[in-house]
C-alpha cells in the first residue's frame, strides 16, 4: 500500500511539471515538437507568419496534420508554397486562426460562426464532437504559452 501511495505522489509531482513544460512552448514550437505538422510549419514559414504565431496572442489554431495537407489535390501544397502565391497562402493559414484562446469546454454543445484572423468566419459545430467548416477536430486543447491548438483532419479554405 505504501508503494502505491509513493507512486501516486510521484505522479502528482511529475505530471504537473510535464504539463507546465508543454505550456512553456509557443504555438510554433509546440507544432514543431509534435512532428505531425511538418507541412503546416513549412507553410507558416513560407507565409512569413512564424513571428506572428510566436507572438503574445492568445491564438486558437485549428491545425491540419500532414495527412490533411496530403489529401489536397496533387501539386496544391507545392503551388501554394511558391513566392508568387504568398498572399493566398497567408489567407488560407490565417483562416485557421481565431483570436483568443478557445478551449473545447468553452464551446461544448454549441454551434457558432467565429471570426478568423483572415477576416472571414468559420462554422464551428460542437454538438456531436467538434467540426470546423466540415473538418473534424481529432485532438483538442493542446496548450501552448500563447494559445491553444486543436488538430483537424482537413485543410479548411476560406470562401471565395
Amino acid at each position: 500500500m505504501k508503494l502505491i501511495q509513493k507512486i501516486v505522489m510521484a505522479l502528482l509531482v511529475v505530471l504537473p511539471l510535464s504539463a507546465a513544460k508543454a505550456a512553456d512552448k509557443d504555438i510554433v514550437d509546440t507544432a514543431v515538437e509534435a512532428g505531425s505538422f511538418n507541412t503546416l510549419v513549412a507553410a507558416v514559414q513560407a507565409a512569413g507568419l512564424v513571428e506572428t504565431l510566436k507572438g503574445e496572442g492568445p491564438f486558437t489554431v485549428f491545425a491540419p496534420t500532414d495527412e490533411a495537407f496530403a489529401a489536397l489535390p496533387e501539386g496544391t501544397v507545392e503551388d501554394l508554397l511558391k513566392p508568387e502565391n504568398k498572399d493566398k497562402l497567408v489567407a488560407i493559414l490565417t483562416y485557421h486562426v481565431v483570436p483568443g484562446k478557445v478551449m473545447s469546454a468553452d464551446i461544448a454543445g454549441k454551434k457558432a460562426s467565429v471570426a478568423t484572423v483572415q477576416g472571414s468566419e468559420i462554422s464551428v459545430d460542437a454538438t456531436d464532437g467538434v467540426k470546423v467548416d466540415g473538418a473534424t477536430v481529432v485532438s483538442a486543447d493542446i496548450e501552448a504559452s500563447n494559445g491553444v491548438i486543436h488538430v483537424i483532419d482537413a485543410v479548411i479554405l476560406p470562401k471565395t
Side-chain angles (χ1 to χ4, degrees):
M1 188 61 138
K2 285 191 176 204
L3 178 61
I4 292 173
Q5 286 175 328
K6 286 181 182 179
I7 292 171
V8 169
M9 290 304 288
L11 285 173
L12 289 174
V13 169
V14 171
L15 289 177
L17 289 176
S18 59
K21 281 186 177 243
D24 285 345
K25 295 182 183 342
D26 61 50
I27 286 172
V28 174
D29 292 340
T30 301
V32 168
E33 189 173 275
S36 55
F37 303 108
N38 297 320
T39 307
L40 177 61
V41 170
V44 166
Q45 290 169 336
L49 294 172
V50 172
E51 289 307 311
T52 301
L53 290 175
K54 286 176 119 357
E56 188 174 324
F59 304 107
T60 297
V61 177
F62 295 100
T65 60
D66 290 336
E67 291 78 17
F69 278 101
L72 292 171
E74 189 174 329
T76 301
V77 173
E78 294 78 10
D79 193 47
L80 286 171
L81 294 176
K82 292 178 181 174
E84 62 268 24
N85 293 325
K86 182 178 178 180
D87 290 344
K88 186 174 185 179
L89 181 60
V90 168
I92 291 169
L93 293 174
T94 56
Y95 188 68
H96 288 79
V97 181
V98 173
K101 183 177 178 181
V102 183
M103 303 299 285
S104 59
D106 298 332
I107 60 166
K110 299 176 186 173
K111 287 184 180 182
S113 287
V114 182
T116 67
V117 170
Q118 181 263 351
S120 299
E121 292 191 344
I122 55 174
S123 169
V124 178
D125 182 347
T127 57
D128 182 21
V130 180
K131 293 249 187 219
V132 179
D133 269 7
T136 301
V137 174
V138 295
S139 183
D141 300 338
I142 301 168
E143 291 195 67
S145 62
N146 61 343
V148 62
I149 298 171
H150 302 294
V151 182
I152 56 176
D153 66 353
V155 176
I156 57 176
L157 301 172
K159 284 91 182 147
T160 53

